[in-house]
Amino acid sequence: MDHFPTNWGRPRNDAYDPYGTFPLPHRPNNHAKDTFAEGVQRTQQPIVTGTSVLALKYKDGIMMAADTLASYGSLARFKDVTRLHPVGNYTVIGAGGDMSDFQYIQKFLDELIIDEFTAQDGHDLGPAQIHEYLSQVMYSRRSKINPLWNSLLVGGFKDGKSFLAYVDLLGTTYSASTLATGYGAYLAQPLLRKEVEGKEDTLTAEEAVRIMETCIRVLYYRDARSIDKYQLATITAEGIKIIDSRPISTSWSFAEGIRGYGAQTQ
């Protein structure tokens, strides 16, 4: 901030400083300030953000779900944003956090897949390789104090094996049979663990869809940054399938009994 009132544009006598703020010969100039004069600026907080991403293992592969809202602060600004992105033939990534950083991640992953294809060496990148690459990129950016502000789930199916893992803006990584980012880590993860853990080899696709719908519904009720439309992705031996956004059924009849909300006012 410029603390010299004589530089604020107020008319004055050039021979006399009525504010007595600084010796006239040494007064700072009125030239335009360069935005980057004090060094490179870093992102201090995410701007347009997505909330929870959910994922689980079932007997045929991996299922992932995410709603389609991107919020500008607390404003539900963009209501048809795709937060599940296919990478190659075996992998899908789901992102919470800053959407512009996610678009950057999509761009360099697509370039990586193109480079791998043009090599024509008989190898394809699988989900484990994509996750390892992302973990290195995220940790590198964190070490430069310029993180990509995202929490990512990486799910895939290759060579008869399911893969599901997490990586965030600090480069933290872990793997489990059920994962969730954002608010879903608090509300949906207990539901997923109860329904899935120990049943990964017997859980059918229909049961997995029902579980996902229940979790998305709970998040819509409780998470102010969510919306009642979501996308579903499955990664199996048959390939990747991402279903277009669909609405989730909800019921608000319980609200009638809440004091101050429905008919009950006392």
Side-chain angles (χ1 to χ4, degrees):
M1 177 179 176
D2 189 343
H3 294 283
F4 301 98
T6 50
N7 286 345
W8 295 353
R10 181 185 292 272
R12 63 181 175 80
N13 185 340
D14 288 333
Y16 173 69
D17 183 5
Y19 301 100
T21 55
F22 209 83
L24 283 174
H26 307 292
R27 184 180 298 115
N29 61 53
N30 287 315
H31 297 163
K33 303 294 189 296
D34 181 1
T35 304
F36 298 101
E38 297 180 1
V40 176
Q41 309 298 302
R42 303 298 196 193
T43 300
Q44 299 298 308
Q45 62 182 3
I47 303 301
V48 177
T49 59
T51 183
S52 308
V53 182
L54 313 177
L56 59 80
K57 289 184 179 180
Y58 69 107
K59 71 173 187 176
D60 296 326
I62 300 294
M63 184 172 292
M64 303 175 70
D67 68 25
T68 60
L69 179 66
S71 302
Y72 181 73
S74 61
L75 173 68
R77 179 62 182 86
F78 305 102
K79 299 181 180 180
D80 196 22
V81 173
T82 300
R83 297 194 291 124
L84 300 176
H85 179 68
V87 182
N89 298 319
Y90 310 102
T91 310
V92 170
I93 64 170
D98 191 89
M99 288 295 97
S100 61
D101 283 348
F102 180 47
Q103 289 172 339
Y104 172 72
I105 290 171
Q106 290 175 298
K107 181 175 180 292
F108 74 65
L109 284 180
D110 288 345
E111 292 174 353
L112 179 69
I113 294 299
I114 291 171
D115 290 343
E116 185 69 19
F117 175 79
T118 55
Q120 291 291 302
D121 57 1
H123 296 282
D124 292 325
L125 292 178
Q129 291 79 43
I130 297 295
H131 178 257
E132 179 64 23
Y133 182 80
L134 279 173
S135 69
Q136 297 296 323
V137 170
M138 301 297 270
Y139 186 76
S140 172
R141 290 290 296 261
R142 170 258 191 192
S143 299
K144 296 174 182 177
I145 323 296
N146 187 24
L148 295 170
W149 220 287
N150 295 103
S151 296
L152 302 169
L153 297 187
V154 181
F157 190 92
K158 186 181 180 185
D159 298 331
K161 295 181 180 179
S162 300
F163 179 90
L164 182 59
Y166 168 96
V167 60
D168 65 12
L169 75 168
L170 300 177
T172 306
T173 61
Y174 54 84
S175 181
S177 57
T178 64
L179 291 175
T181 73
Y183 213 49
Y186 303 97
L187 293 183
Q189 187 69 288
L191 302 175
L192 290 171
R193 286 174 176 160
K194 180 181 178 181
E195 296 287 344
V196 176
E197 286 187 354
K199 307 173 187 174
E200 296 89 346
D201 296 331
T202 59
L203 196 69
T204 65
E206 292 75 17
E207 292 172 330
V209 170
R210 176 186 57 79
I211 294 167
M212 284 298 194
E213 287 183 346
T214 299
C215 293
I216 291 290
R217 184 178 296 109
V218 168
L219 287 170
Y220 178 57
Y221 285 148
R222 296 293 183 182
D223 185 0
R225 303 291 168 264
S226 65
I227 198 172
D228 60 345
K229 289 197 307 179
Y230 73 102
Q231 281 190 298
L232 205 64
T234 57
I235 313 100
T236 65
E238 298 177 357
I240 295 171
K241 183 179 181 182
I242 299 179
I243 301 171
D244 291 337
S245 62
R246 56 169 75 173
I248 189 76
S249 60
T250 57
S251 173
W252 295 93
S253 58
F254 67 88
E256 289 295 327
I258 298 177
R259 181 176 297 176
Y261 181 89
Q264 182 180 355
T265 58
Q266 297 297 325

